[in-house]
Amino acid sequence: MAATTQAKAPKGGHKYQAVRAYLADLIVSELAVGDAVPSERVLTEKFGVSRMTVRQALDALVADGVLQREQGRGTFVAPQHTDFEMRLTTFGEEARRRGMVPGTQVLESGTTPAGRLVAEALGCGEDELMHYVERLRFADGTPMGVERAWVPVHLAPDLLDDGVPDSLYDALKVRGHAPTWGEDTILAAEATAKELALLAMNGGRAVLRAHRRTFSDDGACMYSQMCYRGDRYSVVVPLREARPTIVPRVQPDADDTADGADG
């Protein structure tokens, strides 16, 4: 029987770093999403270190989103996060820009009064009629977010006559209200029971909520909310020199926070 070769940490380095480096290389070269990594016992024997040292290496990779633990089952390679840059584009455009296939399921659509939150965001009366759309967004077949959007009816009376357009931004553009700029407010939150079910989130409840006001040259043209699953989604925010806020930010109440849309 061949003798077991014991790996060693680099001279002068922390022992857990050798375990972490080994696992990182294993994930890249041999394992796929959902595969189990070697157990703590196996790693302890392989590197000749304590179980606490092995756990430290695993904890670091879990914190980085590379691994995920499942209670009673073990530690597995986690699905990698999808980075979306916050720009005035649609979800579909951002997905395609990253080589992913976008998908949409319309959950609800119709006409409704603006209500307090939407009225404050768009600077209109609470009774003003809005087109309302709620959609589930997919990337490569995986549910990534739940979105809601409100568009003033007077800007596009026929917006939903033939069903929900693939892109609300494009639909506004052909009607003379091309979106030119917007403002996002991003909140960390917990998913509701409905969101957990729609997004097939079996682990944590963490989500990102983006509240967006979109403007065309002639004023506010859309208010939207998006609930992104925190285990598969990260946001890239380009930075520039600080400038005064053009319009006061909307500060949604906790009771008003819901899943939403980005056009």
Side-chain angles (χ1 to χ4, degrees):
M1 181 180 294
T4 300
T5 302
Q6 190 178 82
K8 295 182 179 180
K11 186 175 181 180
H14 293 292
K15 293 180 179 180
Y16 94 91
Q17 291 178 336
V19 182
R20 179 176 177 174
Y22 166 76
L23 289 170
D25 181 68
L26 193 66
I27 291 165
V28 171
S29 61
E30 297 184 27
L31 301 180
V33 172
D35 286 349
V37 298
S39 69
E40 291 182 7
R41 180 183 61 79
V42 169
L43 293 171
T44 296
E45 294 176 355
K46 179 177 181 64
F47 286 88
V49 296
S50 68
R51 183 159 289 194
M52 182 178 295
T53 298
V54 168
R55 192 167 293 130
Q56 185 181 6
L58 291 169
D59 287 346
L61 291 171
V62 170
D64 289 342
V66 177
L67 297 178
Q68 62 184 14
R69 287 192 174 95
E70 295 186 17
Q71 189 68 31
R73 296 191 62 228
T75 305
F76 301 85
V77 180
Q80 298 306 295
H81 280 61
T82 300
D83 293 327
F84 280 80
E85 184 177 325
M86 300 306 290
R87 306 186 306 159
L88 196 60
T89 57
T90 68
F91 179 91
E93 288 171 336
E94 282 298 306
R96 283 187 289 269
R97 195 161 69 92
R98 282 158 176 77
M100 307 176 78
V101 178
T104 299
Q105 177 185 345
V106 177
L107 303 175
E108 186 178 347
S109 65
T111 304
T112 182
R116 180 178 64 84
L117 180 62
V118 177
E120 289 179 358
L122 297 181
C124 64
E126 294 185 19
D127 294 330
E128 181 166 339
L129 289 180
M130 297 282 157
H131 293 299
Y132 171 72
V133 175
E134 182 176 11
R135 295 178 287 188
L136 181 61
R137 294 293 207 176
F138 298 84
D140 285 346
T142 298
M144 297 294 289
V146 183
E147 64 179 20
R148 305 169 73 189
W150 292 261
V151 176
V153 168
H154 75 269
L155 292 180
D158 62 342
L159 182 68
L160 304 180
D161 284 0
D162 297 320
V164 177
D166 291 338
S167 168
L168 295 179
Y169 279 4
D170 287 347
L172 284 169
K173 183 177 180 179
V174 300
R175 290 166 174 80
H177 305 288
T180 54
W181 67 281
E183 186 173 72
D184 285 347
T185 300
I186 302 174
L187 310 169
E190 287 193 354
T192 64
K194 176 182 177 181
E195 291 164 349
L196 286 174
L198 288 172
L199 297 174
M201 294 174 63
N202 299 319
R205 301 175 60 96
V207 294
L208 290 175
R209 300 191 190 280
H211 296 251
R212 174 175 293 183
R213 293 183 295 173
T214 301
F215 296 80
S216 62
D217 289 339
D218 52 357
C221 61
M222 184 189 301
Y223 172 64
S224 57
Q225 301 172 355
M226 185 77 181
C227 170
Y228 301 107
R229 54 186 298 171
D231 61 340
R232 296 296 303 275
Y233 195 97
S234 57
V235 177
V236 178
V237 182
L239 301 178
R240 65 182 184 185
E241 181 183 3
R243 301 177 184 177
T245 301
I246 300 177
V247 243
R249 283 192 173 89
V250 176
Q251 297 295 338
D253 295 338
D255 292 342
D256 291 321
T257 302
D259 19 77
D262 69 348

